Amino acid sequence: MAMSFAALAGFVVGALAVLFYRNQIEAPRRTDTTDDVESGAALPQGVASVLAVLPSSAVVLDAHDRVLRASSAARAFGLVKGDRLMAAELLALARQVRRDGEIRESEIDVAGHKFGQETTNFAVRVAPLGTYGQVLVLAEDQTESRRVEAVRRDFVANVSHELKTPVGAMSLLAETIQDAADDPEAVSRFAGRMQHESARLNYLIQDLITLSRIQGAEPIPTPGQVSIDEAIHDAIDHCNTKAVAKDIALVSGGTEGLRIWGDDELLVTALRNLIDNAVAYSPDHTRVVVSVRPAGDSVEISVSDQGIGIPEEALERIFERFFRVDAARSRATGGTGLGLAIVKHVAAAHAGEVSVWSKEGSGSTFTLRLPAFGGTAVAVPPSIPLETAK
């Protein structure tokens, strides 16, 4: 990103320098333009056209630090108001460039002008233009790229940590088994622990593969009609063993025969993660309810539990990768910390959304809202095949 901006900035500086040089050569034939440029009241011919097509913020200052030209992006970000450059750091750089004629590059933070954004980070390049004290300022918003890079670093760090834990545990258990070769009971116990850690490692790898496949929020490559009833049945069947172990009843209800346009495997994956999560965080002898209802042009699928609930301060982060409300409980139940992130990306891949209601001590309800097949949520009798339902 930095290299591409530097290349673009270099090209623009060069192009504008050529325009300035050409206009200065032609100045004797146009004394009125020369007077304007010397006084800093106008730009050489063609410069405004170059600045107008730039995607980044661009500002040209005269010899007295007045703004001669500013792109719409520069004004939108609050870098320019009227004929003044508002960022003090940029103004200081412009004065240094005017004094010694050397191009300077830097990074600055400016108070955010977008909703919910505290600061905007800019990569800037400041260069002299011509011989009349005019200066070109280019600023590229790199806030989003910085955020993405920070997310990537955190993701790599978290994956490394999550992989290291079961791998390290398996290594220690293998050594312990070797030392306890004469104790069949100990060998059996530690072998069971190795199987547990191996399963956890396998779940993590599978979740990473799933997440990498869908995290771009790109449209599903080969969508088709998906029966909500069948997806719920498959998801419940997958989670039933864990639920039985805790005497948790998995119950489905609501409107039958609803369908969406999407990917049945991804929908089952999302529902499985929601139900698994509900079972893991629910006390024994309770129940988890999966319900379906039409909602205009969408279908809503809700998974409700009677579990421990989610603290209000954690609700905003619940769909982040590797975020855990209760890390100890999550790891003890074999959770990878990726389940809800997968649910969020599955919803996005279907042009839908996922929301959560929760209260500590009263349980949680996660709701998937997905576009209905055909544009309207209409129940289809089970006797009509998917391929012919319209």
Side-chain angles (χ1 to χ4, degrees):
M1 180 68 179
M3 290 185 65
S4 61
F5 173 65
L8 174 63
F11 172 77
V12 172
V13 170
L16 293 183
V18 169
L19 286 172
F20 269 77
Y21 178 74
R22 187 182 69 187
N23 277 273
Q24 289 176 34
I25 294 295
E26 295 175 355
R29 295 196 294 267
R30 302 197 315 272
T31 56
D32 56 332
T33 302
T34 303
D35 292 340
D36 285 342
V37 172
E38 288 177 345
S39 66
L43 286 174
Q45 195 174 25
V47 173
S49 299
V50 173
L51 297 182
V53 299
L54 289 179
S56 54
S57 300
V59 182
V60 176
L61 300 176
D62 68 8
H64 307 291
D65 292 334
R66 292 195 301 266
V67 174
L68 292 180
R69 176 73 63 174
S71 66
S72 57
R75 295 188 183 278
F77 279 113
L79 296 176
V80 172
K81 286 187 179 179
D83 64 349
R84 294 177 56 203
L85 184 62
M86 303 305 294
E89 293 178 71
L90 282 181
L91 194 57
L93 281 175
R95 289 169 178 169
Q96 291 176 12
V97 168
R98 188 181 293 116
R99 282 196 299 269
D100 57 28
E102 293 186 4
I103 296 175
R104 283 183 166 78
E105 295 181 354
S106 183
E107 292 185 8
I108 66 168
D109 290 322
V110 177
H113 281 253
K114 295 181 180 179
F115 178 76
Q117 184 171 302
E118 294 183 0
T119 60
T120 303
N121 180 266
F122 290 98
V124 300
R125 173 174 269 208
V126 185
L129 289 179
T131 58
Y132 300 111
Q134 293 175 328
V135 175
L136 170 67
V137 178
L138 294 175
E140 182 74 12
D141 176 18
Q142 56 181 12
T143 308
E144 180 62 16
S145 63
R146 286 296 180 88
R147 185 193 69 79
V148 170
E149 178 62 20
V151 169
R152 186 193 66 80
R153 285 197 305 267
D154 289 344
F155 181 66
V156 171
N158 284 327
V159 167
S160 300
H161 174 74
E162 295 294 334
L163 289 173
K164 184 169 62 177
T165 302
V167 170
M170 290 174 67
S171 177
L172 289 174
L173 287 167
E175 291 179 10
T176 306
I177 288 177
Q178 192 173 30
D179 293 339
D182 296 331
D183 187 346
E185 185 179 342
V187 169
S188 177
R189 185 171 68 254
F190 292 131
R193 288 296 305 167
M194 287 186 69
Q195 288 179 334
H196 173 79
E197 295 297 340
S198 176
R200 179 180 165 195
L201 185 59
N202 181 61
Y203 292 146
L204 177 58
I205 292 171
Q206 290 299 322
D207 280 352
L208 286 171
I209 292 172
T210 301
L211 190 58
S212 66
R213 184 160 65 95
I214 61 174
Q215 66 181 350
E218 298 177 356
I220 297 168
T222 55
Q225 293 183 58
V226 179
S227 166
I228 302 298
D229 298 337
E230 291 180 10
I232 292 174
H233 178 271
D234 291 347
I236 288 179
D237 187 60
H238 187 281
C239 302
N240 200 50
T241 301
K242 292 182 180 178
V244 169
K246 298 181 66 175
D247 191 26
I248 293 176
L250 300 182
V251 181
S252 62
T255 305
E256 297 181 352
L258 294 176
R259 297 176 179 181
I260 65 165
W261 184 252
D263 184 291
D264 55 349
E265 183 180 343
L266 287 181
L267 180 58
V268 171
T269 298
L271 292 174
R272 174 177 59 80
N273 278 294
L274 288 177
I275 297 170
D276 265 342
N277 206 57
V279 171
Y281 286 89
S282 293
D284 296 355
H285 318 301
T286 55
R287 69 176 187 164
V288 171
V289 178
V290 185
S291 59
V292 187
R293 74 179 189 92
D297 59 355
S298 300
V299 175
E300 291 187 351
I301 311 169
S302 298
V303 178
S304 303
D305 63 57
Q306 298 169 289
I308 60 176
I310 304 168
E312 185 176 354
E313 62 272 14
L315 287 175
E316 292 184 1
R317 302 188 59 195
I318 198 67
F319 295 103
E320 292 180 14
R321 290 172 293 189
F322 295 113
F323 178 78
R324 293 179 171 97
V325 176
D326 187 339
R329 176 190 287 258
S330 179
R331 290 193 174 93
T333 57
T336 64
L338 295 173
L340 293 180
I342 289 173
V343 172
K344 181 185 73 172
H345 287 294
V346 168
H350 285 80
E353 61 182 6
V354 59
S355 59
V356 57
W357 172 91
S358 186
K359 183 178 181 181
E360 286 189 273
S362 299
S364 305
T365 297
F366 287 84
T367 301
L368 273 171
R369 186 182 178 94
L370 306 173
F373 172 72
T376 306
V378 177
V380 177
S383 58
I384 299 180
L386 288 177
E387 291 75 12
T388 59
K390 298 294 182 183

Short mmCIF file of all heavy atoms in Angstrom, two decimals, residues 34-80:
data_model
loop_
_atom_site.label_atom_id
_atom_site.label_comp_id
_atom_site.label_asym_id
_atom_site.label_seq_id
_atom_site.Cartn_x
_atom_site.Cartn_y
_atom_site.Cartn_z
N THR A 34 1.81 34.74 -16.04
CA THR A 34 3.03 34.81 -15.23
C THR A 34 2.78 35.66 -13.98
O THR A 34 3.17 35.29 -12.87
CB THR A 34 4.18 35.42 -16.04
OG1 THR A 34 4.38 34.63 -17.20
CG2 THR A 34 5.46 35.45 -15.22
N ASP A 35 2.13 36.79 -14.16
CA ASP A 35 1.85 37.64 -13.00
C ASP A 35 0.99 36.91 -11.98
O ASP A 35 1.21 37.01 -10.78
CB ASP A 35 1.13 38.93 -13.46
CG ASP A 35 2.05 39.82 -14.29
OD1 ASP A 35 3.29 39.62 -14.18
OD2 ASP A 35 1.55 40.65 -15.04
N ASP A 36 0.00 36.13 -12.47
CA ASP A 36 -0.87 35.40 -11.56
C ASP A 36 -0.09 34.36 -10.78
O ASP A 36 -0.29 34.19 -9.58
CB ASP A 36 -1.99 34.72 -12.35
CG ASP A 36 -3.05 35.71 -12.80
OD1 ASP A 36 -3.07 36.81 -12.22
OD2 ASP A 36 -3.82 35.38 -13.72
N VAL A 37 0.79 33.62 -11.46
CA VAL A 37 1.54 32.58 -10.79
C VAL A 37 2.49 33.17 -9.77
O VAL A 37 2.64 32.67 -8.66
CB VAL A 37 2.32 31.74 -11.84
CG1 VAL A 37 3.25 30.76 -11.13
CG2 VAL A 37 1.37 30.99 -12.73
N GLU A 38 3.16 34.29 -10.13
CA GLU A 38 4.10 34.91 -9.19
C GLU A 38 3.38 35.40 -7.95
O GLU A 38 3.91 35.35 -6.84
CB GLU A 38 4.83 36.06 -9.88
CG GLU A 38 5.86 35.58 -10.92
CD GLU A 38 6.51 36.72 -11.64
OE1 GLU A 38 5.97 37.85 -11.55
OE2 GLU A 38 7.54 36.52 -12.30
N SER A 39 2.19 35.87 -8.13
CA SER A 39 1.45 36.37 -6.98
C SER A 39 0.75 35.26 -6.22
O SER A 39 0.19 35.49 -5.16
CB SER A 39 0.40 37.40 -7.44
OG SER A 39 -0.57 36.75 -8.24
N GLY A 40 0.78 34.03 -6.78
CA GLY A 40 0.14 32.90 -6.10
C GLY A 40 -1.36 32.90 -6.23
O GLY A 40 -2.05 32.25 -5.48
N ALA A 41 -1.88 33.66 -7.24
CA ALA A 41 -3.33 33.78 -7.35
C ALA A 41 -3.96 32.74 -8.26
O ALA A 41 -5.16 32.59 -8.28
CB ALA A 41 -3.69 35.17 -7.86
N ALA A 42 -3.12 32.01 -9.05
CA ALA A 42 -3.70 31.06 -9.99
C ALA A 42 -2.76 29.89 -10.18
O ALA A 42 -1.58 29.97 -9.86
CB ALA A 42 -3.98 31.75 -11.33
N LEU A 43 -3.32 28.83 -10.74
CA LEU A 43 -2.53 27.65 -11.05
C LEU A 43 -2.18 27.65 -12.52
O LEU A 43 -2.95 28.13 -13.36
CB LEU A 43 -3.32 26.38 -10.73
CG LEU A 43 -3.47 26.02 -9.27
CD1 LEU A 43 -4.40 24.83 -9.16
CD2 LEU A 43 -2.14 25.70 -8.65
N PRO A 44 -1.02 27.09 -12.90
CA PRO A 44 -0.70 26.94 -14.31
C PRO A 44 -1.75 26.08 -15.00
O PRO A 44 -2.39 25.23 -14.40
CB PRO A 44 0.67 26.24 -14.29
CG PRO A 44 1.25 26.62 -12.98
CD PRO A 44 0.09 26.71 -12.04
N GLN A 45 -1.88 26.30 -16.29
CA GLN A 45 -2.89 25.60 -17.07
C GLN A 45 -2.68 24.09 -17.01
O GLN A 45 -1.57 23.60 -17.18
CB GLN A 45 -2.80 26.09 -18.53
CG GLN A 45 -4.00 25.71 -19.37
CD GLN A 45 -3.91 26.36 -20.74
OE1 GLN A 45 -2.83 26.68 -21.21
NE2 GLN A 45 -5.06 26.54 -21.38
N GLY A 46 -3.73 23.31 -16.76
CA GLY A 46 -3.66 21.85 -16.75
C GLY A 46 -3.50 21.24 -15.38
O GLY A 46 -3.81 20.06 -15.18
N VAL A 47 -3.00 22.02 -14.41
CA VAL A 47 -2.78 21.47 -13.07
C VAL A 47 -4.10 21.08 -12.41
O VAL A 47 -4.23 20.02 -11.80
CB VAL A 47 -2.01 22.47 -12.19
CG1 VAL A 47 -1.93 21.97 -10.75
CG2 VAL A 47 -0.61 22.70 -12.74
N ALA A 48 -5.11 21.94 -12.54
CA ALA A 48 -6.40 21.66 -11.93
C ALA A 48 -7.00 20.36 -12.47
O ALA A 48 -7.62 19.58 -11.74
CB ALA A 48 -7.35 22.82 -12.18
N SER A 49 -6.80 20.10 -13.77
CA SER A 49 -7.34 18.88 -14.38
C SER A 49 -6.67 17.64 -13.80
O SER A 49 -7.32 16.61 -13.56
CB SER A 49 -7.13 18.91 -15.89
OG SER A 49 -7.82 20.01 -16.46
N VAL A 50 -5.34 17.72 -13.56
CA VAL A 50 -4.62 16.59 -12.98
C VAL A 50 -5.13 16.31 -11.57
O VAL A 50 -5.39 15.17 -11.19
CB VAL A 50 -3.11 16.84 -12.97
CG1 VAL A 50 -2.38 15.74 -12.21
CG2 VAL A 50 -2.56 16.94 -14.39
N LEU A 51 -5.29 17.37 -10.77
CA LEU A 51 -5.71 17.19 -9.38
C LEU A 51 -7.14 16.65 -9.30
O LEU A 51 -7.47 15.92 -8.36
CB LEU A 51 -5.62 18.52 -8.63
CG LEU A 51 -4.22 19.13 -8.48
CD1 LEU A 51 -4.31 20.41 -7.67
CD2 LEU A 51 -3.27 18.16 -7.82
N ALA A 52 -7.96 16.99 -10.28
CA ALA A 52 -9.37 16.60 -10.22
C ALA A 52 -9.56 15.09 -10.35
O ALA A 52 -10.55 14.55 -9.87
CB ALA A 52 -10.15 17.30 -11.33
N VAL A 53 -8.62 14.39 -10.99
CA VAL A 53 -8.78 12.95 -11.20
C VAL A 53 -8.05 12.11 -10.16
O VAL A 53 -8.11 10.88 -10.20
CB VAL A 53 -8.28 12.55 -12.61
CG1 VAL A 53 -9.08 13.26 -13.67
CG2 VAL A 53 -6.79 12.85 -12.77
N LEU A 54 -7.40 12.75 -9.20
CA LEU A 54 -6.67 12.00 -8.17
C LEU A 54 -7.63 11.39 -7.16
O LEU A 54 -8.54 12.07 -6.68
CB LEU A 54 -5.68 12.90 -7.44
CG LEU A 54 -4.45 13.37 -8.22
CD1 LEU A 54 -3.60 14.28 -7.34
CD2 LEU A 54 -3.63 12.19 -8.69
N PRO A 55 -7.44 10.10 -6.79
CA PRO A 55 -8.29 9.48 -5.77
C PRO A 55 -7.95 9.94 -4.36
O PRO A 55 -8.78 9.86 -3.46
CB PRO A 55 -8.02 7.99 -5.95
CG PRO A 55 -6.62 7.92 -6.49
CD PRO A 55 -6.47 9.13 -7.36
N SER A 56 -6.71 10.38 -4.16
CA SER A 56 -6.27 10.79 -2.83
C SER A 56 -6.52 12.28 -2.63
O SER A 56 -6.86 13.01 -3.56
CB SER A 56 -4.79 10.47 -2.63
OG SER A 56 -4.02 11.03 -3.67
N SER A 57 -6.34 12.74 -1.39
CA SER A 57 -6.50 14.16 -1.07
C SER A 57 -5.30 14.92 -1.63
O SER A 57 -4.16 14.54 -1.42
CB SER A 57 -6.59 14.36 0.44
OG SER A 57 -7.69 13.65 0.98
N ALA A 58 -5.57 16.00 -2.36
CA ALA A 58 -4.49 16.80 -2.96
C ALA A 58 -4.75 18.27 -2.70
O ALA A 58 -5.88 18.75 -2.83
CB ALA A 58 -4.40 16.52 -4.45
N VAL A 59 -3.69 18.97 -2.33
CA VAL A 59 -3.79 20.39 -2.03
C VAL A 59 -2.58 21.11 -2.63
O VAL A 59 -1.45 20.61 -2.53
CB VAL A 59 -3.82 20.66 -0.51
CG1 VAL A 59 -3.97 22.15 -0.22
CG2 VAL A 59 -4.93 19.87 0.16
N VAL A 60 -2.81 22.26 -3.25
CA VAL A 60 -1.71 23.10 -3.73
C VAL A 60 -1.74 24.40 -2.94
O VAL A 60 -2.77 25.08 -2.88
CB VAL A 60 -1.83 23.39 -5.24
CG1 VAL A 60 -0.72 24.36 -5.67
CG2 VAL A 60 -1.74 22.10 -6.04
N LEU A 61 -0.60 24.73 -2.32
CA LEU A 61 -0.47 25.95 -1.53
C LEU A 61 0.37 26.97 -2.28
O LEU A 61 1.31 26.59 -3.00
CB LEU A 61 0.21 25.65 -0.18
CG LEU A 61 -0.48 24.66 0.76
CD1 LEU A 61 0.39 24.42 1.98
CD2 LEU A 61 -1.85 25.16 1.18
N ASP A 62 0.04 28.25 -2.11
CA ASP A 62 0.88 29.28 -2.72
C ASP A 62 2.01 29.65 -1.77
O ASP A 62 2.20 29.02 -0.71
CB ASP A 62 0.03 30.50 -3.10
CG ASP A 62 -0.52 31.26 -1.89
OD1 ASP A 62 -0.13 30.94 -0.73
OD2 ASP A 62 -1.34 32.17 -2.08
N ALA A 63 2.75 30.65 -2.12
CA ALA A 63 3.93 31.04 -1.33
C ALA A 63 3.57 31.57 0.05
O ALA A 63 4.42 31.66 0.94
CB ALA A 63 4.75 32.08 -2.08
N HIS A 64 2.30 31.92 0.24
CA HIS A 64 1.85 32.48 1.52
C HIS A 64 0.96 31.49 2.28
O HIS A 64 0.19 31.89 3.16
CB HIS A 64 1.10 33.78 1.28
CG HIS A 64 1.87 34.77 0.46
ND1 HIS A 64 2.99 35.42 0.92
CD2 HIS A 64 1.68 35.18 -0.83
CE1 HIS A 64 3.47 36.22 -0.02
NE2 HIS A 64 2.70 36.10 -1.09
N ASP A 65 1.06 30.21 1.95
CA ASP A 65 0.32 29.13 2.61
C ASP A 65 -1.18 29.19 2.36
O ASP A 65 -1.96 28.57 3.08
CB ASP A 65 0.57 29.12 4.13
CG ASP A 65 1.99 28.72 4.47
OD1 ASP A 65 2.61 28.00 3.65
OD2 ASP A 65 2.49 29.12 5.54
N ARG A 66 -1.60 29.94 1.34
CA ARG A 66 -3.01 29.93 0.98
C ARG A 66 -3.28 28.76 0.04
O ARG A 66 -2.43 28.41 -0.79
CB ARG A 66 -3.43 31.24 0.31
CG ARG A 66 -3.42 32.46 1.22
CD ARG A 66 -4.19 33.61 0.58
NE ARG A 66 -3.59 33.97 -0.70
CZ ARG A 66 -2.68 34.93 -0.85
NH1 ARG A 66 -2.26 35.62 0.21
NH2 ARG A 66 -2.19 35.21 -2.04
N VAL A 67 -4.47 28.19 0.17
CA VAL A 67 -4.84 27.06 -0.68
C VAL A 67 -5.30 27.57 -2.04
O VAL A 67 -6.28 28.30 -2.14
CB VAL A 67 -5.98 26.23 -0.03
CG1 VAL A 67 -6.46 25.14 -0.99
CG2 VAL A 67 -5.50 25.61 1.27
N LEU A 68 -4.56 27.17 -3.09
CA LEU A 68 -4.94 27.53 -4.45
C LEU A 68 -5.94 26.52 -5.03
O LEU A 68 -6.82 26.88 -5.79
CB LEU A 68 -3.70 27.56 -5.35
CG LEU A 68 -2.69 28.67 -5.08
CD1 LEU A 68 -1.53 28.55 -6.05
CD2 LEU A 68 -3.35 30.04 -5.22
N ARG A 69 -5.73 25.27 -4.68
CA ARG A 69 -6.60 24.21 -5.20
C ARG A 69 -6.62 23.07 -4.19
O ARG A 69 -5.60 22.69 -3.66
CB ARG A 69 -6.09 23.72 -6.54
CG ARG A 69 -6.86 22.56 -7.14
CD ARG A 69 -8.22 22.98 -7.66
NE ARG A 69 -8.12 23.93 -8.75
CZ ARG A 69 -9.16 24.36 -9.46
NH1 ARG A 69 -10.37 23.90 -9.19
NH2 ARG A 69 -8.99 25.26 -10.42
N ALA A 70 -7.80 22.51 -3.96
CA ALA A 70 -7.93 21.35 -3.06
C ALA A 70 -8.94 20.39 -3.66
O ALA A 70 -9.99 20.82 -4.15
CB ALA A 70 -8.37 21.78 -1.67
N SER A 71 -8.62 19.11 -3.64
CA SER A 71 -9.55 18.11 -4.14
C SER A 71 -10.74 17.98 -3.19
O SER A 71 -10.68 18.38 -2.02
CB SER A 71 -8.85 16.76 -4.29
OG SER A 71 -8.47 16.27 -3.01
N SER A 72 -11.82 17.41 -3.70
CA SER A 72 -13.01 17.23 -2.86
C SER A 72 -12.72 16.33 -1.67
O SER A 72 -13.27 16.51 -0.58
CB SER A 72 -14.15 16.64 -3.70
OG SER A 72 -13.75 15.41 -4.28
N ALA A 73 -11.82 15.33 -1.86
CA ALA A 73 -11.46 14.44 -0.76
C ALA A 73 -10.77 15.20 0.37
O ALA A 73 -11.02 14.96 1.55
CB ALA A 73 -10.55 13.32 -1.26
N ALA A 74 -9.91 16.15 0.01
CA ALA A 74 -9.20 16.94 1.03
C ALA A 74 -10.18 17.75 1.87
O ALA A 74 -10.01 17.88 3.08
CB ALA A 74 -8.19 17.86 0.36
N ARG A 75 -11.21 18.27 1.23
CA ARG A 75 -12.20 19.04 1.99
C ARG A 75 -13.11 18.12 2.81
O ARG A 75 -13.50 18.44 3.92
CB ARG A 75 -13.02 19.90 1.03
CG ARG A 75 -12.18 20.97 0.34
CD ARG A 75 -13.03 21.94 -0.46
NE ARG A 75 -12.20 22.90 -1.17
CZ ARG A 75 -11.69 24.01 -0.62
NH1 ARG A 75 -11.95 24.28 0.64
NH2 ARG A 75 -10.94 24.82 -1.32
N ALA A 76 -13.44 16.95 2.23
CA ALA A 76 -14.31 16.01 2.95
C ALA A 76 -13.65 15.50 4.23
O ALA A 76 -14.33 15.29 5.24
CB ALA A 76 -14.66 14.82 2.04
N PHE A 77 -12.35 15.31 4.21
CA PHE A 77 -11.64 14.83 5.39
C PHE A 77 -11.31 15.97 6.38
O PHE A 77 -10.75 15.73 7.43
CB PHE A 77 -10.33 14.15 4.99
CG PHE A 77 -10.50 12.73 4.53
CD1 PHE A 77 -10.25 12.38 3.22
CD2 PHE A 77 -10.91 11.75 5.42
CE1 PHE A 77 -10.40 11.06 2.79
CE2 PHE A 77 -11.07 10.44 5.00
CZ PHE A 77 -10.82 10.10 3.69
N GLY A 78 -11.66 17.21 6.02
CA GLY A 78 -11.40 18.33 6.92
C GLY A 78 -9.97 18.84 6.88
O GLY A 78 -9.56 19.61 7.75
N LEU A 79 -9.20 18.43 5.85
CA LEU A 79 -7.82 18.92 5.74
C LEU A 79 -7.79 20.39 5.31
O LEU A 79 -6.84 21.11 5.60
CB LEU A 79 -7.03 18.08 4.73
CG LEU A 79 -6.83 16.60 5.09
CD1 LEU A 79 -6.11 15.86 3.96
CD2 LEU A 79 -6.03 16.47 6.39
N VAL A 80 -8.84 20.79 4.58
CA VAL A 80 -8.91 22.15 4.04
C VAL A 80 -10.26 22.77 4.39
O VAL A 80 -11.30 22.12 4.26
CB VAL A 80 -8.71 22.15 2.51
CG1 VAL A 80 -8.96 23.54 1.93
CG2 VAL A 80 -7.31 21.68 2.15
#
